[in-house]
Amino acid sequence: MPRSAPAFWQYRGVPAWSLFPLSLLFAFLAGLRRRLFAVGLKRAERLPVPVVVVGNIAVGGSGKTPVALWLADELKRRGHKPGIVSRGYGGSVDSVAEVPAGGDPTRFGDEPVLMASASGCPVFVGRDRPAAGRALLAAHPDVDVLIADDGLQHYRLARDVEIVVVDEATLGNRLRLPAGPLREGSGRLAEATVVFAHGDLSPGLMRVLGSTPLFGFRLVGGAFERVGDRRETCPAEAFRGRRVHAMAGIGRPERFFGQLESMGLVIERRPFPDHHAFTAADLAIPDGDVLLMTEKDAVKCAPFAPADSWVWPVRAQLAPGAAELIVEKLDGSPTA
């Protein structure tokens, strides 16, 4: 599945319409697969602890990883012991593996390494998410709830709560893959337990949601941290008047660039595809310049980043009541 949105996904032009017949086939097969699980012809595996899925309906960055980290923190604050399972996209794990904090992103994937380092929770990766969940619970029997990162379409894993994260800008032309960025149609939002929206939603999408609970969120950050030594911090003001390069290999690089510019920084933009395999050449800057990057990119670039490289960690800030709703659903959820 593509990880960065082609430009034509933003419009219903000739490239999109030429792929439209394939998108109908994709939609049919995806719907058939889901229907087989719904009627019991395929079995979803229920694990012995509740499962919260965090996912989206479109290819591209919508804020899933910050939401998963927010959820892990909120659950821990309320006395739970969460664990996280992930596909490990971009890694090389063949079966199932535990991700150590500071692990190798080429083996485990950049997002799992970030979550393992930032959450303090056990994180397991594997293409087979039920197997990853079983392995995590065997290794950490005190875990009492699992967070499945980017697992909305992984119907083999039974779930008790579905959080769908939406950034309307990622929905593009609203067509299904490969003619557009949608993995599932927008009507899928109305079936979720709760929807988290990064930014405002259009009136049309609000009508699609129906009675599904909706909470807005934003990504907030504080001080910059030196990539080579995260204990060293620096405010944005220190970069003003200097030549600043900003790079991002995430689903929506322009979001990161806009946040930097909102701080009054004048930047030279360096966008890369989501999950880009960075090299030292990608990070080269002239002496005296500054390089700024996202936290997801920093886990991959730390071994060869220039000395004057800084990361801006961000966390999801949710509207009041979101955590309480999820915990309430979990407390009443069935477990086997």
Side-chain angles (χ1 to χ4, degrees), residues 4 21 35 42 48 59 61 63 75 78 90 105 107 135 152 179 183 187 213 228 258 261 289 300 307 321-322:
S4 296
R35 181 64 180 164
K42 284 192 173 185
V59 172
L75 290 173
R78 288 161 173 79
R107 172 165 167 72
L152 187 63
R183 300 166 171 175
E261 289 170 342
D289 289 5
K300 294 183 287 190

Side-chain angles (χ1 to χ4, degrees), residues 147-307:
I147 300 169
D149 175 60
D150 199 15
L152 187 63
Q153 289 80 32
H154 196 91
Y155 290 110
R156 287 187 53 236
L157 179 60
R159 68 283 310 268
D160 302 283
V161 173
E162 286 186 338
I163 300 173
V164 181
V165 185
V166 177
D167 183 331
E168 191 160 2
T170 68
L171 303 185
N173 60 19
R174 308 295 180 91
L175 297 178
R176 302 287 286 271
L177 289 166
L182 298 192
R183 300 166 171 175
E184 297 186 272
S186 58
R188 179 70 173 85
L189 300 175
E191 303 171 17
T193 307
V194 60
V195 171
F196 288 174
H198 188 198
D200 295 332
L201 300 184
S202 65
L205 201 57
M206 291 292 292
R207 287 193 294 271
V208 169
L209 286 179
S211 59
T212 303
L214 171 68
F215 293 90
F217 77 95
R218 61 193 187 106
L219 300 178
V220 298
F224 289 82
E225 301 173 1
R226 189 181 293 275
V227 173
D229 183 356
R230 298 288 294 271
R231 296 169 297 180
E232 185 178 348
T233 62
C234 182
E237 291 78 9
F239 304 131
R240 291 175 184 163
R242 300 184 63 185
R243 188 178 181 193
V244 177
H245 305 259
M247 71 170 212
I250 58 177
R252 288 191 60 203
E254 65 276 8
R255 179 195 296 151
F256 176 62
F257 300 145
Q259 289 169 319
L260 296 179
E261 289 170 342
S262 71
M263 302 176 197
L265 299 179
V266 178
I267 61 173
E268 178 180 310
R269 298 184 174 204
R270 294 188 183 186
F272 290 88
D274 197 10
H275 301 282
H276 180 68
F278 287 99
T279 65
D282 294 326
L283 278 62
I285 57 174
D287 290 342
D289 289 5
V290 177
L291 179 63
L292 307 181
M293 67 183 71
T294 72
E295 195 169 22
K296 190 172 87 166
D297 296 327
V299 302
K300 294 183 287 190
C301 297
F304 48 82

